[in-house]
């Protein structure tokens, strides 16, 4: 596990397609953790990216303190590692690539669904 890193916290519905897109493009993906209690995906990114994250769909917090998805600590998290931290070839996901993948996934989710035309049997 990286000593200094940031944690991007994002909902599973948005985070999973973004991670799938990164993997499909052959991009490196670091440590991932699911929180089933809060329906969040926690993704380790390189340090010193928190101040420039500014995304409406997720947040980035210092990761050296915790792998929890909430910072106030009143509800416990029930997290599962996607892969064991000892087996991940890279510790962090590039923040710029993740931000772009999340933005594209969010754009696809916000786009109106194509209209299906029903056949007319007049």
């Amino acid at each position: 596990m990286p000593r200094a890193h940031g944690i991007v916290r994002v909902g599973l519905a948005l985070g999973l397609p973004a991670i799938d897109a990164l993997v499909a493009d052959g991009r490196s993906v670091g440590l991932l953790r699911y929180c089933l209690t809060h329906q969040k995906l926690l993704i380790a990114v390189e340090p010193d990216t928190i101040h420039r994250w500014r995304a409406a769909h997720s947040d980035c917090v210092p990761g050296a303190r915790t792998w929890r998805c909430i910072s106030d600590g009143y509800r416990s998290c029930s997290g599962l590692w996607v892969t064991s931290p000892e087996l991940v070839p890279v510790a962090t996901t590039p923040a710029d690539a993740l931000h772009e993948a999340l933005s594209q996934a969010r754009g696809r989710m916000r786009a109106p669904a194509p209209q299906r035309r029903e056949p007319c049997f007049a």
Side-chain angles (χ1 to χ4, degrees):
M1 186 171 317
R3 288 216 271 243
H5 61 281
I7 300 289
V8 172
R9 302 179 297 194
V10 63
L12 288 174
L14 180 58
L16 291 175
I19 294 298
D20 284 345
L22 289 173
V23 170
D25 288 346
R27 307 291 292 265
S28 61
V29 174
L31 296 173
L32 299 173
R33 186 171 168 93
Y34 294 122
C35 177
L36 301 175
T37 302
H38 302 106
Q39 299 294 302
K40 296 276 185 185
L41 184 62
L42 288 81
I43 307 158
V45 294
E46 64 264 280
D48 302 325
T49 56
I50 295 165
H51 67 282
R52 60 184 169 91
W53 188 257
R54 293 186 182 92
H57 49 267
S58 58
D59 67 345
C60 188
V61 296
R65 299 181 322 209
T66 182
W67 271 90
R68 299 172 53 86
C69 43
I70 56 174
S71 56
D72 54 21
Y74 70 93
R75 284 181 61 192
S76 63
C77 297
S78 59
L80 300 169
W81 289 104
V82 176
T83 57
S84 173
E86 297 82 32
L87 301 177
V88 177
V90 293
T92 60
T93 301
D96 291 337
L98 177 61
H99 193 283
E100 181 181 336
L102 288 169
S103 296
Q104 289 176 355
R106 184 172 186 244
R108 286 190 297 273
M109 290 175 76
R110 296 182 80 184
Q115 297 288 332
R116 274 189 17 186
R117 294 187 179 254
E118 296 293 325
C120 179
F121 300 104

